[in-house]
Amino acid sequence: MANAVAELRPKITENFDEFRTNRCSGVLSSGQTGIDAATCVGNQIALGSYAKALNITLESLKPWPSEIESLTQQTTERLKTVASTSEMDDSRMFDTAVLLLNSKLQGWDPYL
C-alpha cells in the first residue's frame, strides 16, 4: 500500500501545488477563460484522475493490515471526495478537499 501511495503522492502534490500557486480556486470560481483557466481545469482533472487511481489501487489491496487500516480508510475517503468534487463546478470545495487529502497523505511518511 505504501508503494501505491509513494507512486502517486508526488503527482498529486505537484498538481495541487500548481493549483494553489495559480490561484485556481479563484480563477475557476470567477468564470475566467483563457490559458490560466485551462491550466487550472487541467490540474483539477489530473487531481481527480490520480485520486481515483490511488483509491482503486488501495481498495484492491484489502484486507488492509491493522497497523495502517485507519490511515488507509481515511485516505480512501478523502480520495473519493477529491474524485467527486473534481467533477463539480465548485472549485473552492475542490480546493478544500485536496487540501485535506494532501494533509492525510503526509501521514504516510513513516511508511514510505
Side-chain angles (χ1 to χ4, degrees):
M1 277 178 273
N3 286 339
V5 172
E7 181 180 334
L8 287 173
R9 186 172 83 164
K11 294 174 184 188
I12 291 170
T13 302
E14 177 185 335
N15 275 277
F16 178 60
D17 289 346
E18 288 179 21
F19 191 85
R20 305 263 4 236
T21 298
N22 295 330
R23 290 178 248 141
C24 290
S25 183
V27 168
L28 295 176
S29 66
S30 69
Q32 290 183 29
T33 59
I35 191 70
D36 290 340
T39 299
C40 291
V41 168
N43 286 133
Q44 188 167 334
I45 291 169
L47 282 161
S49 296
Y50 291 136
K52 286 176 189 174
L54 183 52
N55 183 58
I56 289 168
T57 301
L58 291 175
E59 291 286 350
S60 73
L61 296 172
K62 282 184 174 177
W64 300 318
S66 59
E67 176 186 340
I68 58 172
E69 184 174 11
S70 178
L71 175 61
T72 308
Q73 179 64 41
Q74 293 169 11
T75 301
T76 58
E77 288 170 9
R78 291 193 179 163
L79 288 164
K80 290 174 194 173
T81 301
V82 168
S84 67
T85 58
S86 72
E87 299 171 357
M88 300 174 152
D89 287 335
D90 190 338
S91 59
R92 295 190 196 287
M93 184 184 296
F94 174 75
D95 183 60
T96 300
V98 179
L99 181 64
L100 292 172
L101 171 61
N102 195 45
S103 171
K104 186 51 62 182
L105 290 175
Q106 300 311 311
W108 283 88
D109 284 347
Y111 306 102
L112 303 179

